[in-house]
Amino acid sequence: MVQPFRSESDSSPSGAPVARQAWLMLALTTVGFAVNFWAWALLSPLGPRFKDSLDLSSFEQSLLVAVPVVVGSMGRIPVGALTDRFGGRVMLPIVSATTIVPVLYLGLAGHSSLPALLVGGFFLGIGGTAFAVGVPFVNAWFPPERRGLAIGVFGAGMGGTALSALTTVKLVDANSMATPFLITAAVLAAYAVAAALLLRDAPGRTVPTEPLARRLAATARLGITWQASALYAVAFGGYVAFSVYLPTYLKTGYGLTQADAANRMAGFVILAVAMRPVGGWLSDRLGPVRLLAGSLAVVVAGAVVQSFTPPLAAVGTIAFLAMAAALGAGSGATFALVALLTPASQVGSVTGVVGAAGGLGGFLPPLVMGSLYGEYGTYAAGLALLAVVAAAALTYTLTGVRSAVRGDERTPPLAHPNGMSGSGSLQA
């Protein structure tokens, strides 16, 4: 069993300083996550524009913005397993460089028809797999009592979607459709080079030797894989769903302009991003179960309020911002739970599956919302459905997940079924 990497100054078990290089690796990886998520979210702010210019239905528009989400989500499973094997130093530059191809295609040629956009969006999903690279990479650099905060800080890289929301439409209006795609491709190229030169895997990183299929099968047998997947599908899935569909919702439901809707979506994203490291930090201190329960309760309340389509000026804005904060904190708490219960050599594989569940959780709601609006002319049913799902997740958190965490805490270090110490001391 390999011990967590620490510098010589990291001798005390709690509150000890972390090696300076670990913080540098965290910063570099967070930037890479943000850049790849920026690319991953390029189509969302342009959804209303493509709907008008290509005469898309509500469902077709929803499909357009959802395709990169589902591909990026499912791609996290093999990418997470490959990261366990080859390390983030190899995988993150590869993911960043590969994402350049669909970005250039969409900017230069792939925006003239729905089939072309769907093809480009499919491969744009590669950028979304960066998440499954960063979590195991960061996890290996930090001791157990600091992993909630570290992974929460890394998770703030999902703010790349806010960067896309704030800049894409403005760049298209000021220049041309190709402009935001060309700029993003250049940034991805610069980051890929920097990551290849500067990233280093943590000393003592656990490298699995089993074949990929066997490791994925072992991951499927872990309870934490499915517990965290269910929670992340709601927490991060809700964030993704709102981040890609909110401009359409606000434009259609409240009559806002495209630019105003994109700006409000950016505010939602920024708050969720800011709360993700807060969620990780609070999970280190209060425990992830308590924080998840509180976050999901807020989502239930916010979704119920918004299902009545209240005035946006006060009540609607408060409801959306409350849900943004709760979804961000809940996402951070979910991966604090993963860090608590997952064996070190399987963090990437578990992250891949959990990340896929989160992305799929964000794939379905836009399609459901678009379909329900097309059928009934209102979003009330979709938001009521969100409240029901969040309430089910809250119940599961307070029962099954809480029991799993308590069982792990009661397991003696030498008797733990995964070879871990029982009180959350994930080895890396």
Side-chain angles (χ1 to χ4, degrees):
M1 185 165 56
V2 182
Q3 294 301 315
F5 170 73
R6 300 171 186 262
S7 68
E8 292 182 359
S9 62
D10 293 337
S11 56
S12 64
S14 179
V18 177
R20 188 176 304 169
Q21 190 177 15
W23 293 111
L24 174 61
M25 294 300 106
L26 173 59
L28 288 170
T29 313
T30 303
V31 170
F33 182 30
V35 170
N36 278 277
F37 253 42
W38 176 14
W40 194 39
L42 281 170
L43 291 181
S44 174
L46 297 172
R49 180 170 302 227
F50 289 131
K51 180 180 181 182
D52 295 338
S53 64
L54 300 176
D55 194 25
L56 305 180
S57 67
S58 294
F59 179 81
E60 287 172 333
Q61 181 186 354
S62 300
L63 182 64
L64 172 63
V65 300
V67 163
V69 174
V70 71
V71 174
S73 303
M74 296 306 297
R76 291 173 185 177
I77 297 175
V79 168
L82 288 170
T83 302
D84 279 340
R85 178 67 181 86
F86 297 106
R89 181 185 182 185
V90 171
M91 292 302 298
L92 194 52
I94 289 176
V95 168
S96 302
T98 305
T99 305
I100 295 171
V101 177
V103 169
L104 289 176
Y105 165 76
L106 285 166
L108 298 176
H111 55 263
S112 58
S113 68
L114 179 61
L117 284 166
L118 292 177
V119 169
F122 181 91
F123 290 101
L124 192 65
I126 295 170
T129 67
F131 178 77
V133 179
V135 170
F137 179 86
V138 170
N139 187 81
W141 271 105
F142 284 81
E145 66 275 4
R146 305 297 286 275
R147 286 183 181 141
L149 173 61
I151 295 175
V153 170
F154 165 75
M158 67 188 189
T161 56
L163 184 60
S164 178
L166 289 170
T167 62
T168 302
V169 173
K170 293 177 182 177
L171 287 170
V172 170
D173 288 340
N175 299 280
S176 68
M177 180 62 70
T179 303
F181 295 91
L182 294 175
I183 292 174
T184 307
V187 176
L188 280 167
Y191 179 77
V193 172
L197 294 174
L198 299 175
L199 284 182
R200 297 290 183 273
D201 288 311
R205 182 180 73 87
T206 303
V207 180
T209 57
E210 298 86 358
L212 176 61
R214 186 179 300 173
R215 285 189 282 126
L216 290 176
T219 298
R221 291 193 294 269
L222 291 174
I224 181 58
T225 301
W226 306 112
Q227 292 159 356
S229 291
L231 296 174
Y232 205 57
V234 178
F236 185 70
Y239 160 79
V240 171
F242 279 123
S243 68
V244 300
Y245 199 70
L246 200 54
T248 300
Y249 174 88
L250 293 173
K251 185 175 184 291
T252 305
Y254 286 94
L256 301 185
T257 65
Q258 182 181 353
D260 191 12
N263 287 336
R264 290 174 186 267
M265 180 270 243
F268 179 97
V269 169
I270 289 170
L271 179 57
V273 167
M275 287 301 297
R276 183 148 182 166
V278 173
W281 177 76
L282 287 173
S283 294
D284 286 340
R285 284 149 181 79
L286 304 177
V289 171
R290 288 183 183 177
L291 191 59
L292 277 165
S295 299
L296 290 167
V298 172
V299 173
V300 172
V304 168
V305 169
Q306 194 56 37
S307 68
F308 292 97
T309 317
L312 191 60
V315 179
T317 298
I318 292 172
F320 273 119
L321 292 179
M323 285 191 287
L327 292 169
S331 297
T334 302
F335 269 92
L337 189 70
V338 169
L340 185 72
L341 299 178
T342 307
S345 63
Q346 293 175 277
V347 172
S349 299
V350 172
T351 296
V353 176
V354 175
L360 289 175
F363 170 74
L364 293 176
L367 298 180
V368 172
M369 294 284 277
S371 298
L372 290 174
Y373 185 84
E375 183 71 22
Y376 302 109
T378 177
Y379 290 113
L383 286 157
L385 185 60
L386 170 61
V388 171
V389 172
L394 172 59
T395 302
Y396 180 57
T397 299
L398 295 174
T399 54
V401 177
R402 174 174 283 173
S403 297
V405 172
R406 286 177 174 173
D408 185 80
E409 289 171 346
R410 289 194 297 268
T411 303
L414 295 179
H416 194 287
N418 294 320
M420 296 158 46
S421 63
S423 57
S425 55
L426 172 65
Q427 304 303 303

